[in-house]
Amino acid sequence: MTPAGRIQAAADLLAAIESQPRRPADAIANDFFRARRFIGGGDRRAVSELAWGVVRQRLRLDWHLSELGAAPDARRLLIAHLLLAEGWPPQKLAGHFTGDRFAPAALAAEEVALVRRLASRPLVDLAMPEEVRLNLPAWALPGLRARFGEALAAEASAMETPAPLDLRANLLRTTREAARLALAAEGIAAEPMPYSPWGLRVADRKPVSATAAFKDGLVEVQDEGSQLIARLVAPRRGEMVVDFCAGAGGKTLAMGALMRSSGRLYAFDINARRLAGLTPRLARAGLSNVHPVAIAHENDARVKRLAGKIDRVLVDAPCSGSGTLRRNPDLKWRFDERELARVNEVQGKVLQAAARLVKPGGRLVYATCSLLATENQQVVEQFCSAHPQFHVIPAAEVLAPQGIVIDQMERFTPWFVMLPHLHQTDGFFAAVLERQA
């Protein structure tokens, strides 16, 4: 594709995202490219980067267009992004909007005027409301301000940075170094992560899923913070373990590897379709101890029959996803205060239901990818107040025997906390609870 053709494809993708505001943008993008298989891998990455740049800066671009009285349609958003975020001069932009066969339609008179007015504006304007200036969603701003105080600007800046590609070496099939060398042989440079003993980080987002290393089950895509949550559960060989909200199964796979494919690992989730996607991943990983179970709700009979029998339970609770804004910037407008309140209520119910499974002396880990205290320590503190048989174990004490020491973790004790601006991961929270014997 020509550079102008990539711009047109990005505009088409943005229009598709605009037409489905409540659907995750990455799912829309997957469908978009699946229907356009003529777009090759390199062009696909270029188009995605353009579109995601707009999505990442959407709050600010909307503000600029509103100030100038222009509706924020896909084409205007892309024009504003190229001028304000990418720093294109007006003549370069006009040169790509020519109306040729593979180029966007030529700029209309009102668009020429818009370009002229936008070109003199900074991307970040002091006149912007605080949430727009920081590029944070209004629904999360009060909680984030309370959480970070003076460090909020640094955290907001880190969440604007595109996330790297994190991989977990599957120790059932390989070692981390062998996986790194296998990727290098296919042209993908990866380096060991600073914290996860089985993690590899790829600086540029290359198509790892097309490599033999991925297809042969040597590596799985998984953020470093997510890998460490599996280490907090620390399941052992032969144990009975439950991943209570397994989702697509990333942490399930990691725990299964820690168990060396022994014992019994249940993967529960209410989304049967999503859970079905775990089956081919289990085969690729070489795991035979995992049992995916689609449940109707947290009090499903298939859950209740395991009451008091489970050694380790992970509750990867549904949450706002505020810790993943650098990876899912469309959450800024797909989520709101009402949804936050609904999810917060679900978190308490799910934690209580999962706790019934834990046998005396067993471990319960509550985790989210949220940065908000209302979804994290407040949920755990309320639970422990109502269930005195459970007590919190400092997360650092669980990780240290595994050779894992995380920078500045003492600031957050007893909790496990990973932050984009401190640890270059998504934002994660976890609490390790033990049931008294």
Side-chain angles (χ1 to χ4, degrees):
M1 297 177 73
T2 65
R6 289 172 171 177
I7 290 174
Q8 182 57 56
D12 292 341
L13 173 54
L14 286 167
I17 292 172
E18 286 290 295
S19 68
Q20 304 172 72
R22 305 301 294 181
R23 191 173 174 222
D26 57 351
I28 297 171
N30 287 339
D31 290 348
F32 179 88
F33 288 117
R34 194 176 294 117
R36 295 163 177 81
R37 297 192 181 276
F38 59 86
I39 301 179
D43 288 325
R44 181 176 298 195
R45 287 193 294 277
V47 170
S48 295
E49 286 173 8
L50 263 177
W52 247 247
V54 172
V55 173
R56 193 168 284 112
Q57 295 294 337
R58 176 66 190 272
L59 297 181
R60 292 168 177 160
L61 299 177
D62 273 358
W63 183 85
H64 281 289
L65 291 173
S66 175
E67 287 288 297
L68 298 178
D73 63 18
R75 185 174 162 101
R76 293 192 186 99
L77 285 167
L78 191 53
I79 288 171
H81 172 73
L82 292 171
L83 291 168
L84 301 181
E86 297 293 326
W88 282 28
Q91 60 271 27
K92 179 180 178 180
L93 186 141
H96 285 74
F97 286 71
T98 63
D100 294 339
R101 182 180 176 190
F102 297 111
L107 295 171
E110 64 271 20
E111 290 175 329
V112 172
L114 179 65
V115 167
R116 191 181 307 117
R117 297 177 71 190
L118 280 170
S120 63
R121 302 171 74 95
L123 175 63
V124 182
D125 193 311
L126 293 178
M128 289 172 166
E130 183 183 19
E131 66 270 18
V132 177
R133 191 173 69 254
L134 294 175
N135 204 13
L136 295 172
W139 57 263
L141 186 61
L144 292 174
R145 191 189 296 116
R147 171 69 181 78
F148 292 104
E150 294 182 358
L152 179 57
E155 188 62 38
S157 178
M159 286 193 282
E160 284 192 59
T161 306
L165 177 61
D166 284 359
L167 306 174
R168 176 181 56 79
N170 178 12
L171 301 189
L172 286 178
R173 296 202 184 279
T174 188
T175 64
R176 176 163 69 172
E177 179 59 13
R180 187 187 71 80
L181 292 174
L183 290 166
E186 298 186 71
I188 295 180
E191 296 298 328
M193 289 176 179
Y195 306 114
S196 172
W198 51 19
L200 291 166
R201 180 158 291 158
V202 180
D204 52 348
R205 297 187 67 84
K206 292 193 174 181
V208 170
S209 60
T211 65
F214 180 85
K215 293 176 180 177
D216 293 342
L218 305 187
V219 293
E220 277 285 345
V221 176
Q222 188 174 27
D223 185 86
E224 184 172 25
S226 180
Q227 295 180 30
L228 293 172
I229 287 175
R231 291 279 181 164
L232 284 174
V233 181
R236 295 173 292 204
R237 296 187 188 201
E239 288 188 327
M240 293 265 285
V241 180
V242 168
D243 188 349
F244 202 79
C245 307
K251 297 180 184 69
T252 307
L253 295 170
M255 290 191 294
L258 285 173
M259 298 169 72
R260 307 301 298 178
S261 200
S262 68
R264 197 168 184 86
L265 173 53
Y266 292 96
F268 290 154
D269 203 88
I270 60 172
N271 190 327
R273 183 178 177 184
R274 194 175 184 203
L275 198 60
L278 178 56
T279 301
R281 299 178 74 189
L282 293 173
R284 192 171 64 242
L287 287 171
S288 59
N289 68 328
V290 178
H291 303 272
V293 181
I295 58 176
H297 45 72
E298 68 271 15
N299 293 313
D300 191 295
R302 287 164 292 186
V303 174
K304 287 185 173 181
R305 68 172 175 238
L306 295 175
K309 299 177 181 178
I310 305 301
D311 297 286
R312 315 267 165 147
V313 176
L314 170 62
V315 179
D316 187 15
C319 70
S320 66
S322 56
T324 69
L325 289 176
R326 62 181 193 156
R327 201 177 297 277
N328 302 300
D330 54 309
L331 276 172
K332 293 171 187 176
W333 63 83
R334 281 199 299 109
F335 214 80
D336 57 28
E337 290 86 349
R338 284 192 305 174
E339 184 66 6
L340 179 59
R342 185 194 70 78
V343 167
N344 206 190
E345 183 178 352
V346 170
Q347 289 160 349
K349 292 180 178 178
V350 169
L351 180 56
Q352 289 188 52
R356 300 187 191 109
L357 305 184
V358 183
K359 70 182 186 182
R363 177 176 297 177
L364 172 64
V365 174
Y366 173 84
T368 76
C369 53
S370 171
L371 300 172
L372 305 177
T374 53
E375 299 186 89
N376 295 334
Q377 54 265 45
Q378 290 181 19
V379 173
V380 176
E381 288 166 351
Q382 290 169 8
F383 169 81
C384 288
S385 176
H387 301 82
Q389 68 272 36
F390 285 90
H391 65 279
V392 178
I393 303 173
E397 293 181 9
V398 177
L399 295 176
Q402 301 179 60
I404 301 169
V405 179
I406 300 173
D407 292 342
Q408 302 192 45
M409 188 61 69
E410 66 279 359
R411 289 174 48 187
F412 309 109
T413 191
W415 318 118
F416 168 87
V417 174
M418 300 290 281
L419 300 174
H421 82 285
L422 288 182
H423 306 111
Q424 290 72 58
T425 69
D426 286 350
F428 282 97
F429 169 90
V432 184
L433 307 176
E434 187 171 88
R435 181 178 174 182
Q436 294 175 351

